[in-house]
Amino acid sequence: MAATKRLHVTTETAGLMRALKAGGADVVLCASNPLSTQDDVAAALVEEFDVSVFAIKGEDHDTYYSHIEAAVDHKPHLTMDDGADVIGVLHSARREQLGDIIAGTEETTTGVIRLKALEAEGKLGFPIIAVNEALTKHMFDNRYGTGQSTIDGIIRATNVLLAGKKFVVAGYGWVGRGVASRARGLGAQVIITEVDPLRALEASMDGFDVMTMQQAAEVGDIFCTATGDKSVITREHYDVMKDGAILSNTGHFNVEIDIPALKSLATDTRTAREFVEEFTQPDGRRLYLIADGRLVNLAAAEGHPALVMDMSFANQALSVEYAVQHAGELDRKVYPVPAEIDKEIARLKLATMGVDIDVLTEEQARYLASWDEGT
Amino acid sequence: MAATKRLHVTTETAGLMRALKAGGADVVLCASNPLSTQDDVAAALVEEFDVSVFAIKGEDHDTYYSHIEAAVDHKPHLTMDDGADVIGVLHSARREQLGDIIAGTEETTTGVIRLKALEAEGKLGFPIIAVNEALTKHMFDNRYGTGQSTIDGIIRATNVLLAGKKFVVAGYGWVGRGVASRARGLGAQVIITEVDPLRALEASMDGFDVMTMQQAAEVGDIFCTATGDKSVITREHYDVMKDGAILSNTGHFNVEIDIPALKSLATDTRTAREFVEEFTQPDGRRLYLIADGRLVNLAAAEGHPALVMDMSFANQALSVEYAVQHAGELDRKVYPVPAEIDKEIARLKLATMGVDIDVLTEEQARYLASWDEGT
Amino acid sequence: MAATKRLHVTTETAGLMRALKAGGADVVLCASNPLSTQDDVAAALVEEFDVSVFAIKGEDHDTYYSHIEAAVDHKPHLTMDDGADVIGVLHSARREQLGDIIAGTEETTTGVIRLKALEAEGKLGFPIIAVNEALTKHMFDNRYGTGQSTIDGIIRATNVLLAGKKFVVAGYGWVGRGVASRARGLGAQVIITEVDPLRALEASMDGFDVMTMQQAAEVGDIFCTATGDKSVITREHYDVMKDGAILSNTGHFNVEIDIPALKSLATDTRTAREFVEEFTQPDGRRLYLIADGRLVNLAAAEGHPALVMDMSFANQALSVEYAVQHAGELDRKVYPVPAEIDKEIARLKLATMGVDIDVLTEEQARYLASWDEGT
Amino acid sequence: MAATKRLHVTTETAGLMRALKAGGADVVLCASNPLSTQDDVAAALVEEFDVSVFAIKGEDHDTYYSHIEAAVDHKPHLTMDDGADVIGVLHSARREQLGDIIAGTEETTTGVIRLKALEAEGKLGFPIIAVNEALTKHMFDNRYGTGQSTIDGIIRATNVLLAGKKFVVAGYGWVGRGVASRARGLGAQVIITEVDPLRALEASMDGFDVMTMQQAAEVGDIFCTATGDKSVITREHYDVMKDGAILSNTGHFNVEIDIPALKSLATDTRTAREFVEEFTQPDGRRLYLIADGRLVNLAAAEGHPALVMDMSFANQALSVEYAVQHAGELDRKVYPVPAEIDKEIARLKLATMGVDIDVLTEEQARYLASWDEGT
């Protein structure tokens, strides 16, 4: 069975590719982000494991899309996407292939939002399992994995000391709260911006300072966007930022920081360190952009540790298996990962960590299911 | 319109009673827990605000149930319950009244579990709005409110220093994680026990030591149950606990700690401090039980701060209003609080805190709803 | 041998009194703070343990000093002071008794500062052992003990939820950092004010927001002073505080908050809760003062847990023993607690906690003492 | 005036060299650690700034010492040392040069211990200013700087996820507590081992699990030594460690982990990743050693951020200036950095951070200095 994977080309992805091949799939891989490819991994997959890979670190916009096209040429029966760009191509230029596809999975918050929009318009061409919605995916990958690796990327890129810094996180979703928690754990004073009052309230109760981006722009030392939306930091914010402010993004696409505005405002630009561009403002203040506003954990560090990706990719592999086994029952909708898969992955993970937990006794299970036991 | 409320009789409840009366309701109040009544509040409600109250702090089991009966005699059209005991009486001894009732609300995790069991058996007699499920209720009340007030109750009862202690929390639901977070914040080394592998994994990734209760029993200095289940700490645990171990519960009912077993094992018992019973074991070890295993935050402290209950009770009041307005559309099911009510409460709360947040621009809202904007 | 003790009259103090009597001392006790006396403890000491006690909870200024006089009438050979008021009386109205005194101990930061000032002027009348300087005293008592009990006092007095509040701590000494750490641990956003640049820098690197009191006054919800100095919060701060701001002090004397100014500004005052006075400002804003600005942990809670005071009082008892044994070698100076006493107390404390630690091997000890082992 | 500097050859050191040259010194630089040299920095110092540098990354033991000899050949009047190896050479093979030297500074805890041992034996040949003892040095550099950069080094070397891991820190001095705090901040469960009961007690009260290394060896996932002593992790610990355990050191010398024992036990060794050696035990368990047991923050990451080193090096530069100005008054002793220098550096640092702090009023200063103001 042919499968097209579009994922970050890292060692962890390589592990997933090998598992799928072992399960009998004919696999083709392209990059989910122009900067996240590890070229040595790509080479090893091709040479040692006979997986077709279309991805080069730093590839330009046209090459990136030509690589997606090349992967789709493979006529996949299954897709695994990370940001929904393969699915996007299939639903626009390649609509004739939609009927061949049994199902797909989607890895990211951003991709799931896009696919639900497609479903709402009645245009979704095949069933999707939203891997991102699994607890063993988003709680661990988005929160703990991205939390640590985003901070890691910022530190590697800048060697900045976080202690004592005002660190602004835009968005208090799973990723944002992971980043916020880890920045605080390293001694930063963390500020949150949000558009959702429930999340804003939660951030405040978690001890973070909540304010608008316009207020935060004046006091922040380091900024990191994690909203999944565009134009979160833009011209009116650059105008009031402090000299030396550092800008980074850990949302899926590099649209959260308005880079065209940053470039057009600058009177001078230079590379301050590897991955760090300096933009001098007309009044002399210098703003620093990391990794061209792309996912800072993948571009400037190594992405998630293998110890988180194992759970995300277990969801991918088991969800694809589930989709093939239940192909007849699935409509052109976005489905969650079945709860049994989710729980089983957690159980296996705890076992590998050597952690024992309690099991409900029969008496306890019965009590939870009853409505007539009183005080 | 007649309404029966069964809630903890505290100053915050009094505020809610006054709001309901102002909205035109004829209100009767009985206690949700034999130890949580503040007698001066009960008196003031009767004398100054003309609300009938059936509740006495420390009332025995029979009086407690006779008070529920008395409240039900009032022939309510609406119920507000906290643990589902009024609803339990209505579904057993008072089934003839079920038809008079427009709807009810339920405040606790425990109650919602019982009511869903009733619904699953097809026996639920009127629509329920599960106030506990609202984000502005369970995230704030269960987590932040119970987190702080549980610790407060334990400290008031024992004057123990938490720094350096091994503090065992049974259950990593909203309440458990609130307690765990606050115990850690006061310097304790926190251990979590769980039966759900997903929650156990999350606790571990949050930096807590996860183990079985049998393992925890040997090392813990302070124990607090927050599972909503029964027999969480029992004989085999007492047998291995350290001399001086402190036992408390913050789950809804006092069944989480097996108190009959504790009493039957003890060779000697005495009151060590107000709210603290000492149970001497045959080998001389002394175990300390707080507040007879009842909700420690209500029995030994003042329950939730008003600043949390405001949101829970806003959910109660607005859910009852919603139920009356939409009576014709509601089936005999357990419903969540409508999302607009939830979000509106968060928005109002932030305003009272003086916190400004961002608002989506038109461009940002459009981007989130689209599926065809790419990298 | 006659000894005068001037300490907070609490159950822990009672334990120390009993130990001293068991060691053969003839003990007299007076209060170190007009609000911190537990009257039942005072009564038990008199009736059951034959200790003379001059202390009544809430005694006025004149009674307080007449009690100190009565204690000094006892002609002590040793003094144990907590704030240096007994020593103050001995160095002013009772100079003729100075020659009778072998040595004294002092418990607080404030008292040690006063006694060093006396020594610097050449006026100190007998040797002092500064118990406060022992690591097993100030690290644990001032930081962990006062940290928890100060928060406890504020919560008991007000039932405020700390999560989401801006909590201002004045002073980042041992007490201040204890309070700051615990307030953060309960979810507050903590702001520090300081006059010492080293401490201010450390607070900032610890992740706290550091600013002037004038800046903090505008944004704070709860204030707690811990500086050992006077007039830390005063008129210009009251003028800009938010409606509902809560004021408390955990420094030794009630001079840190300028209470006369608060009273003179108020257009109306009333008792809002036990221990909480409401002061209405001319523009209608209401400010709340806890426990008349006295030590909030002693006045509104139970003071330090016994588990901290054990170490402080072990320092007291062993320092007095040391002073008697080394009377001939001591000058009229302020001495630290001998390091061996300090370390021995830590060793004993760990043993009671069941904590094992490593011991230097001979090879390791030699390595640490050497200068000629290289890379 | 000739000066020999022996410091980690990093960009921050280069900044200090340039400052000293600007002050008129004739500077020679050699490495303080065979692995910490940044070769491009060394080259730039030689070529662009005319500083003699004797240091190559990865130089062997003989080359390392021949470089020290070469530096000493320069006949320095002042020394700046980092681990006391230059001073060691001067006090053994080059005793004839001792008389030429005005003073020296020492940067590390380890070096200060060695120099105090030398002073105690009456053998110290010239005055030393212990830069490490300055608060603006050890509180910030050792704690915050090493804390973050040690974690950074471990993550860069292994890409391990810290959340959920048991992280063992040996030593709870300034460095150890920095590492412990940051590991906890990233979600690890932190275990402390100590030999000093006071520090062990403090670690316990800070919420860490304290145990012996033998106990920790059985449960730890990641180990980091920070004791300044030798043979902290050795054969009996390797025997019980879990498969996959990671070993690292952030103490000054690579003697804390017993590497010869690790090598002799292994049945197989290989390089698992850059900087990570895998040692297979006879029973198949694999242990991973980072950076050959050398300072992990310098070997596998970039050392301290410039934002911390600025304060350490300000202490170096101002201490040397002070030593030259006060040469006549200094004996052959180890001196602390003068308090005014320390405080001035903190004041300057806060100013660069844009932080305002309070200033004592005249009334407040007088109060602090008085002994006769009472309750």
Side-chain angles (χ1 to χ4, degrees), chain A residues 114 143-144 202 206 373, chain B residues 114 143-144 202 206 373:
Chain A
R114 296 171 81 190
R143 183 163 40 163
Y144 304 110
E202 195 180 2
D206 284 344
E373 293 201 38
Chain B
R114 297 172 81 191
R143 182 162 41 161
Y144 305 110
E202 194 179 1
D206 284 345
E373 293 203 37

Side-chain angles (χ1 to χ4, degrees), chain B residues 163-164 166 187 189 204-205 207-209, chain D residues 163-164 166 187 189 204 207-209:
Chain B
K166 291 193 190 277
Q189 300 165 31
S204 176
M205 304 293 261
F208 296 110
D209 212 356
Chain D
K166 291 194 191 276
Q189 300 167 32
S204 176
F208 297 109
D209 213 355

Side-chain angles (χ1 to χ4, degrees), chain A residues 138-177:
Chain A
H138 73 254
M139 283 206 317
F140 299 95
D141 177 330
N142 301 25
R143 183 163 40 163
Y144 304 110
T146 312
Q148 175 176 307
S149 61
T150 297
I151 299 294
D152 185 18
I154 293 170
I155 291 175
R156 288 198 206 194
T158 62
N159 205 28
V160 71
L161 180 75
L162 292 191
K165 292 289 179 308
K166 291 193 191 277
F167 192 113
V168 180
V169 180
Y172 201 64
W174 289 113
V175 169
R177 68 188 63 194

Side-chain angles (χ1 to χ4, degrees), chain D residues 313-349:
Chain D
F313 284 173
N315 274 291
Q316 291 274 23
L318 296 177
S319 290
V320 164
E321 182 190 54
Y322 174 88
V324 172
Q325 287 168 350
H326 297 76
E329 307 154 29
L330 299 175
D331 293 328
R332 294 175 182 188
K333 290 183 177 168
V334 177
Y335 289 93
V337 172
E340 317 82 68
I341 291 182
D342 211 356
K343 212 162 235 184
E344 175 65 8
I345 292 172
R347 212 190 50 70
L348 289 168
K349 179 74 179 179

